[in-house]
Structure formats: structure tokens, C-alpha cells
Amino acid sequence: MKEDEVGNKRKLDIQELEEIRNDAYESNMIYKEKTKAYHEKMISRKTFVQGQKVLLYKSRFKLIPGILSSRWVGPFVVTRVFDHGAVEITSKQNGKTFKVNGYRLKPFYEGFEVKNEELDVLENPTYQD
């Protein structure tokens, strides 16, 4: 009789562990879905139009990259936009045309002006607490 009770208890324990595992699996799936939805919501979609100026990300591997050198080159002009995310761009310097992935591009904004403003500086400033 005790062997039957021990066997039934063991079966119940195994079923309980399987239920706990299934609950953990479901909560993990819910967490992954929420994380993916949040990540996709935060991604900004890039859309390019023909004639737009863009910068290209220079992704060449260097052992000792220049600290102050920019990884963006350009500007380039968008010649054609494909449905699958590829973009055909043309160089302004030498006129070469080539295709790149749209994720390697960002819009080029021009027209920012740097204004040199002179400030009146006191020779002997007095500090008050």
C-alpha cells in the first residue's frame, strides 16, 4: 500500500513540475513578445526619395581607427529606391553609381550656419556668494 502511495505522489510531483515548466515557458514567451513590440515601436523607419542627399556609413574594419575621424562619408544623391530596402546612390565627386543597403544611410541636412557671437568679457570679474 505504501508503494502505491509513493508512486502516486511521485506522479503528482512530476505533473506539478511540468505545469511549473509550462507556466515559465508561457511567461517567457509573453516577455519576449512585449520586448519585441517595444523594440519595433522605438525603431525609426527610414524612407528615402529620389534626389535626396544622404550620408553613407563607412563600415571598413580598422585595427586602430582614427579617434576623431567620422565614419560617415558623403554627401551622395539618391538615384533610385528599391522595394526590398536597397538604395542606389550616386557620388557627387566622381559620379559613380552603386547600390547599398538602406540601413547604411542617413539623411544629409545642410543649411546649418555657425554664427560667431562675441561676448563681452569683464577683465576683473567679481564673484558674489
Side-chain angles (χ1 to χ4, degrees):
M1 196 70 145
K2 288 186 179 181
E3 292 177 5
D4 291 338
E5 290 176 11
V6 170
N8 289 336
K9 182 173 180 349
R10 184 168 290 180
K11 287 179 185 177
L12 290 174
D13 289 344
I14 290 173
Q15 287 177 353
E16 186 177 349
L17 284 174
E18 191 168 330
E19 287 178 14
I20 291 172
R21 187 184 67 82
N22 287 338
D23 290 341
Y25 179 77
E26 287 178 22
S27 64
N28 186 26
M29 292 301 295
I30 292 170
Y31 171 76
K32 285 183 179 181
E33 288 172 0
K34 286 183 180 179
T35 305
K36 182 180 178 185
Y38 176 77
H39 177 70
E40 288 178 354
K41 182 177 74 172
M42 300 306 287
I43 292 176
S44 60
R45 304 286 182 218
K46 297 179 188 176
T47 56
F48 300 105
V49 294
Q50 189 172 355
Q52 180 181 7
K53 290 184 181 179
V54 294
L55 294 175
L56 176 66
Y57 183 73
K58 182 174 45 175
S59 61
R60 300 229 174 185
F61 177 73
K62 293 182 182 178
L63 291 175
I64 303 173
I67 294 174
L68 299 176
S69 65
S70 175
R71 294 187 178 262
W72 296 95
V73 293
F76 297 94
V77 177
V78 174
T79 310
R80 189 172 167 198
V81 180
F82 297 96
D83 293 335
H84 51 82
V87 179
E88 187 176 273
I89 57 176
T90 303
S91 174
K92 294 189 102 180
Q93 286 88 11
N94 54 14
K96 289 186 179 180
T97 302
F98 49 96
K99 289 182 189 177
V100 295
N101 192 339
Y103 289 114
R104 293 182 59 203
L105 299 175
K106 73 176 181 179
F108 175 72
Y109 300 107
E110 58 185 343
F112 294 111
E113 295 180 11
V114 178
K115 295 182 180 179
N116 293 331
E117 296 181 9
E118 294 182 14
L119 301 174
D120 294 331
V121 179
L122 300 174
E123 290 182 19
N124 293 322
T126 56
Y127 298 102
Q128 296 177 354
D129 290 335

